Amino acid sequence: MIILIPAYEPDHQLPALIRAIRDAEPAVAVVVVDDGSGPAYKDVFDGVRNLGCHVIGYTRNRGKGFALKTGFGFIADHLPGQDVVCADSDGQHTIVDILRVAAAVASAGGSPAMVLGTRNFTGNVPARSRFGNAATRLLFRLATGERITDTQTGLRGYPAAMLPWLRSVRGERYEYELNLLLEAKQAGCAIRTVDIATVYLDHNSGSHFRPVADSVRIYALLLKFLASSFSAFLVDTVVFLLLTLVTDSLLVAVLGARAVSSAVNFLVNRRLVFNHGRDRPVSAAGLRYFSLVAVLLAANYGLLSVLGALSVAALPAKVFTEIVLLTVSYAMQQRYLFAANPVDLSRQTADDQTSAEVTSGRVVA
């Protein structure tokens, strides 16, 4: 087993964690990635190097995802064939929990399964951490249909065979770890969980998470989907209202509006929202998409009819109906319509990995 720790401007918690690891497992290999912390933190990294760690790094901050992929690359090249457990540098993960995750990975016998150390968020948890995890938990449930209680955990274990795939998944900052979860199913990777303690030291002051910028990165896929859907909604609503005035027929208005808006939505989602959608021929993706449109159209018409019978005005009825069906549409498109094709993790190459070069314990990027 190898313990991988990405670190950006670490405080005293990093050497304390390394000492705890050394006390519990003196022979275990530890790789620490300096994510461009700068000269002011040289003493901290020299200290953990003196504790027997492999310390690599680069000159400017690139983000947690880049640091993790750099660490995976170093391990694959210099310490191959060993399982990896990733832990944060800010003291949130106890050595007991790190070793429990490592044991869970080892018990899987090399099968393609990531192990998450999941917190239950009881006790004195900072509001931004509680809200952030609730939001990403909902996104993950919509995108995959799977329920995971802690999608933002940094304590994760991976078998050695998964390293090439881990290096190929897109993302350089905090969004990378969510992307791993979102793409795991299509890659044939199972997700297992181990309960761990919820630890926030000094209200999580050691975290470098930027609430606005990093949240946008994490939720980028959902935000793009919502923007695409909102654009289609505006087109659909305008055409719907116009056809209602011209034809005085609900059926014609619904069909005509959906025909125009669905064509717009398909083209935007295929080209801009779901990266994998461009891998399939337009005809195949189009057939699946418009089959979904037909199902949603029937649901749309049925719900509008019910609301009309209840004397709800056309505009509010339309808004309510679109909101209800939005989550269904997102989940179906992410999971089935524009999902990535399954890959063989044991043969996956790292074409999209970082191009950083490890030289003499440093990474030149």
Side-chain angles (χ1 to χ4, degrees):
M1 175 191 68
I2 296 174
I3 298 176
L4 173 60
I5 305 173
Y8 174 60
E9 298 183 351
D11 58 15
H12 66 282
Q13 297 297 337
L14 176 58
L17 173 61
I18 302 302
R19 293 189 188 97
I21 293 172
R22 287 284 169 255
D23 290 341
E25 295 286 341
V28 72
V30 180
V31 176
V32 176
V33 182
D34 174 8
D35 184 23
S37 301
Y41 295 86
K42 181 178 182 298
D43 290 344
V44 177
F45 290 105
D46 286 344
V48 298
R49 183 183 286 107
N50 292 335
L51 292 172
C53 299
H54 301 273
V55 178
I56 60 176
Y58 33 85
T59 56
R60 65 184 180 90
N61 177 249
R62 300 294 297 271
K64 186 178 183 182
F66 189 92
L68 287 171
K69 286 190 279 188
T70 299
F72 294 143
F74 178 86
I75 292 167
D77 293 340
H78 299 274
L79 303 165
Q82 299 191 57
D83 300 336
V84 180
V85 174
C86 301
D88 291 340
S89 65
D90 56 5
Q92 288 194 38
H93 305 137
T94 67
I95 183 59
V96 172
D97 288 334
I98 291 173
L99 295 178
R100 290 180 65 226
V101 169
V105 176
S107 67
S111 62
M114 69 174 72
V115 177
L116 307 181
T118 56
R119 302 158 291 182
N120 56 20
F121 293 96
T122 58
N124 187 21
V125 179
R128 73 175 186 178
S129 298
R130 191 184 298 275
F131 173 79
N133 199 273
T136 52
R137 186 167 61 239
L138 174 61
L139 167 60
F140 184 76
R141 184 70 186 276
L142 289 173
T144 68
E146 298 183 33
R147 184 188 299 273
I148 293 179
T149 59
D150 186 4
T151 57
Q152 292 186 330
T153 179
L155 180 53
R156 305 184 181 202
Y158 307 100
M162 287 183 62
L163 287 183
W165 175 73
L166 292 169
R167 299 168 69 188
S168 74
V169 174
R170 297 180 185 276
E172 291 195 352
R173 296 189 178 273
Y174 286 101
E175 78 279 7
Y176 169 70
E177 290 179 306
L178 182 60
N179 289 344
L180 290 176
L181 299 181
L182 290 171
E183 297 191 19
K185 185 175 182 180
Q186 283 76 30
C189 173
I191 299 175
R192 301 176 181 176
T193 61
V194 172
D195 291 336
I196 64 172
T198 305
V199 180
Y200 284 100
L201 301 177
D202 193 21
H203 299 284
N204 206 24
S205 60
S207 173
H208 295 282
F209 183 85
R210 301 167 298 176
V212 176
D214 290 323
S215 292
V216 168
R217 285 180 175 271
I218 289 174
Y219 307 135
L221 179 61
L222 181 59
L223 291 173
K224 286 193 293 184
F225 179 82
L226 290 175
S228 170
S229 297
F230 183 69
S231 299
F233 162 73
L234 291 178
V235 172
D236 193 277
T237 300
V238 170
V239 176
F240 171 78
L241 294 175
L242 289 175
L243 291 178
T244 299
L245 295 174
V246 173
T247 67
D248 198 27
S249 169
L250 176 62
L251 180 59
V252 171
V254 170
L255 289 174
R258 188 49 50 94
V260 175
S261 64
S262 61
V264 172
N265 189 244
F266 170 74
L267 293 174
V268 172
N269 284 356
R270 183 175 185 273
R271 292 180 176 273
L272 302 178
V273 179
F274 299 104
N275 289 328
H276 301 297
R278 289 170 290 184
D279 298 336
R280 290 195 174 96
V282 174
S283 57
L287 178 61
R288 294 189 180 195
Y289 178 83
F290 286 103
S291 296
L292 174 62
V293 168
V295 173
L296 294 177
L297 180 60
N300 188 294
Y301 179 75
L303 188 52
L304 283 173
S305 298
V306 171
L307 293 175
L310 295 175
S311 300
V312 178
L315 182 57
K318 182 66 175 174
V319 172
F320 176 78
T321 298
E322 294 300 331
I323 292 174
V324 169
L325 296 179
L326 177 65
T327 55
V328 177
S329 178
Y330 174 81
M332 295 297 291
Q333 291 187 58
Q334 167 68 12
R335 274 185 257 171
Y336 304 112
L337 182 61
F338 296 112
N341 292 321
V343 298
D344 183 350
L345 292 178
S346 65
R347 301 179 62 182
Q348 176 78 3
T349 59
D351 292 337
D352 295 326
Q353 69 191 13
T354 170
S355 59
E357 180 184 355
V358 181
T359 306
S360 301
R362 302 292 294 175
V363 176
V364 182

